[in-house]
Amino acid sequence: MLLLVVIYAAFIGLGLPDTVLGAAWPLMQRDLMAPLSAAGLLSIIVSVGTIVSSLWMPALLRLMGTGKLVFLSIAFTAAASFGYGISNSFAMMCLFAIPMGIGAGAIDVAMNNFAAIYLESKHTSWLHASWGVGACLGPALFSISVVTGVGWRGAYDMVALLLAVIAVMMLVTLPIWKKMEKHDASQQESAVKDISLRAALKVPGMKLSFWVFFFYSSLEISTSLWCGTYLVARGFEPEIGAIAVSLMFASVMVGRILSGFFAIKFTDMRLVHAGIAIVVVGCFILVLPLPLWVTPVCICLLGFGCAPVYPSLIHATPARFGEELSGRAISIQMAGSYLGAIVMPPAFGFVALHFSVIVWPVALGIFVGMLLLCVCLLDFVTRRRLNNAFAAERIMDALQQMEMLELQRMKMRKERRRQRRKEKRMKLLKSRHL
């Protein structure tokens, strides 16, 4: 239970620095005397760091184990957040962006791999919902720091402090991590089987897995980045566009909380297909000549549809490729996700510059169409492993239910025996009184 609390705290910590930059940049840009567009360069440095670190993670996981690696990664991000707060130039901030990206990528891969192997599907959904909690807390911390007079630097100091607390929690629970992770012969054999990046890409379905996450991130990040601009182009006020962005993230967070409950009953792939179907419906509604008030509702629908896709795809990774390749597969998936987030939203910005932002629903339709195609192909290529894994999971569920029923029967027997003894004592007492 304690380990689960720490894992949730780590995901909240992962989301904390991600949204502070966007909220604080107007003040940061003025204090650092940097151009307005410099935030994009900072974001690119962080993203490149996450891609590089995610591809190196499988080797570090085998060498250090999840607990130590996540502890060091959170310490990296805490130090980087503190460095942001003390930076007196943009060049210095770019320097601290390197450990920020490396730490974030390492946490993402290590924690997702651990959750996919050792935790149930519902926890994977709720863990990604807790990332949304951290993402919502980031701008709130910035607002508090501005109101209290410590400025944007205070926000990064608070983020660094919270991350340091989470790092201490990780350090304290390192023995539990070692117990949780398998140290038997089968795990050692799995570690030997792990292969290089080049060899992993030759595994059937691995490249498709990369493209699945590439198009998913293209879809989600393009929705969050351009939905406000699209609403303004449709005739809404800018503040309505800003509210729509917040509601989109809130829809993703609520959707992941709900999908955690659905994951108790349904398989990962059913949740993935249901989420994509909701996004397809949302894209279709966007292009229909409906009243304007429908558009913000439709954007919330897009966020709600995106909610179960990412965590369910992550959780299905060990079933697709086996636990021995899970770390390598998730590192490739994370690289695809980060690359999609870097490349495709600006690519649409180029299209919008030459045509119009009104074509945004068409771009979303292309992204979700490619996502659906890649998911279907990936399901087909890995269907045998998936079916075997889901069958084994159903057998384990049946055995667990039988075990619970047997425990209930034993409790009922004990209760009946206790009741009989009580009745005998009562009868004995009555006979003595007579």
Side-chain angles (χ1 to χ4, degrees):
M1 185 63 184
L2 177 61
L3 184 62
L4 203 57
V5 171
V6 173
I7 293 171
Y8 274 94
F11 265 86
I12 292 173
L14 183 62
L16 278 172
D18 289 354
T19 50
V20 175
L21 180 62
W25 181 247
L27 293 180
M28 294 168 65
Q29 177 251 333
R30 188 169 62 238
D31 287 353
L32 299 174
M33 293 183 291
L36 189 63
S37 59
L41 176 60
L42 206 62
S43 180
I44 289 172
I45 294 172
V46 172
S47 298
V48 170
T50 55
I51 293 173
V52 172
S53 67
S54 65
L55 292 175
W56 277 95
M57 276 312 100
L60 293 176
L61 275 173
R62 294 198 310 277
L63 182 66
M64 303 172 62
T66 305
K68 288 182 181 178
L69 181 58
V70 175
F71 162 69
L72 290 175
S73 301
I74 294 175
F76 258 57
T77 54
S81 297
F82 179 75
Y84 274 21
I86 63 172
S87 294
N88 52 20
S89 68
F90 181 71
M92 189 175 176
M93 186 161 282
C94 288
L95 188 65
F96 283 111
I98 298 172
M100 179 70 79
I102 291 172
I107 297 170
D108 216 357
V109 173
M111 295 297 290
N112 276 306
N113 182 58
F114 185 88
I117 294 176
Y118 297 105
L119 301 181
E120 297 176 70
S121 181
K122 62 182 180 182
H123 288 297
T124 310
S125 294
W126 292 337
L127 284 171
H128 284 88
S130 65
W131 175 90
V133 173
C136 292
L137 281 175
L141 292 176
F142 168 71
S143 299
I144 292 171
S145 66
V146 171
V147 169
T148 54
V150 292
W152 62 270
R153 298 181 187 277
Y156 278 109
D157 289 341
M158 285 189 282
V159 169
L161 179 61
L162 290 173
L163 288 172
V165 171
I166 296 171
V168 171
M169 292 170 64
M170 289 293 305
L171 186 62
V172 170
T173 56
L174 280 182
I176 307 177
W177 284 91
K178 291 178 181 179
K179 286 183 181 179
M180 185 71 177
E181 293 184 297
K182 300 173 184 176
H183 289 287
D184 53 11
S186 62
Q187 192 203 27
Q188 292 173 6
E189 184 182 353
S190 296
V192 174
K193 284 183 179 178
D194 195 25
I195 54 178
S196 66
L197 176 61
R198 182 177 297 180
L201 290 173
K202 295 178 181 178
V203 174
M206 196 68 78
K207 290 179 182 177
L208 279 170
S209 184
F210 173 90
W211 289 112
V212 163
F213 279 80
F214 178 90
F215 286 114
Y216 171 79
S217 284
S218 301
L219 172 68
E220 182 183 318
I221 303 303
S222 294
T223 302
S224 63
L225 183 62
W226 293 105
C227 65
T229 307
Y230 176 77
L231 288 175
V232 172
R234 288 289 305 274
F236 287 93
E237 295 296 326
E239 54 269 24
I240 301 298
I243 292 172
V245 177
S246 300
L247 289 176
M248 185 263 174
F249 278 112
S251 299
V252 173
M253 186 168 61
V254 172
R256 284 178 178 166
I257 294 171
L258 293 176
S259 65
F261 292 103
F262 284 111
I264 300 172
K265 194 73 176 175
F266 300 102
T267 63
D268 292 322
M269 296 324 300
R270 285 190 178 181
L271 293 176
V272 170
H273 296 153
I276 292 176
I278 293 172
V279 174
V280 169
V281 171
C283 291
F284 181 71
I285 295 174
L286 274 177
V287 298
L288 294 177
L290 296 174
L292 275 180
W293 63 267
V294 177
T295 309
V297 177
C298 189
I299 288 171
C300 292
L301 189 65
L302 293 175
F304 194 75
C306 285
V309 178
Y310 190 92
S312 298
L313 285 169
I314 288 287
H315 191 264
T317 300
R320 292 188 191 278
F321 302 107
E323 290 187 11
E324 67 273 11
L325 285 179
S326 176
R328 175 63 69 186
I330 288 179
S331 72
I332 291 171
Q333 291 167 355
M334 293 298 100
S337 177
Y338 296 134
L339 190 62
I342 293 172
V343 173
M344 297 313 289
F348 174 74
F350 180 79
V351 172
L353 183 65
H354 287 79
F355 294 94
S356 172
V357 76
I358 298 297
V359 301
W360 176 66
V362 178
L364 290 187
I366 293 171
F367 294 152
V368 74
M370 293 302 297
L371 173 62
L372 180 59
L373 175 63
C374 291
V375 166
C376 290
L377 289 173
L378 183 59
D379 289 347
F380 178 77
V381 171
T382 60
R383 66 191 183 283
R384 185 175 297 176
R385 274 186 176 273
L386 277 176
N387 291 336
N388 291 340
F390 291 146
E393 188 177 338
R394 284 192 290 270
I395 291 171
M396 292 299 295
D397 288 342
L399 291 173
Q400 189 176 10
Q401 288 176 0
M402 290 173 64
E403 186 178 351
M404 291 176 64
L405 286 172
E406 186 61 30
L407 288 173
Q408 288 177 354
R409 289 194 193 100
M410 290 175 64
K411 285 182 181 179
M412 290 174 66
R413 287 173 193 155
K414 288 180 181 179
E415 181 64 26
R416 283 197 295 266
R417 285 197 294 267
R418 191 181 65 82
Q419 190 66 27
R420 284 173 193 156
R421 287 194 297 268
K422 185 178 179 181
E423 289 173 359
K424 284 181 181 179
R425 285 196 300 269
M426 293 295 291
K427 286 180 182 179
L428 185 60
L429 287 171
K430 284 182 181 179
S431 62
R432 284 178 180 177
H433 284 301
L434 293 173

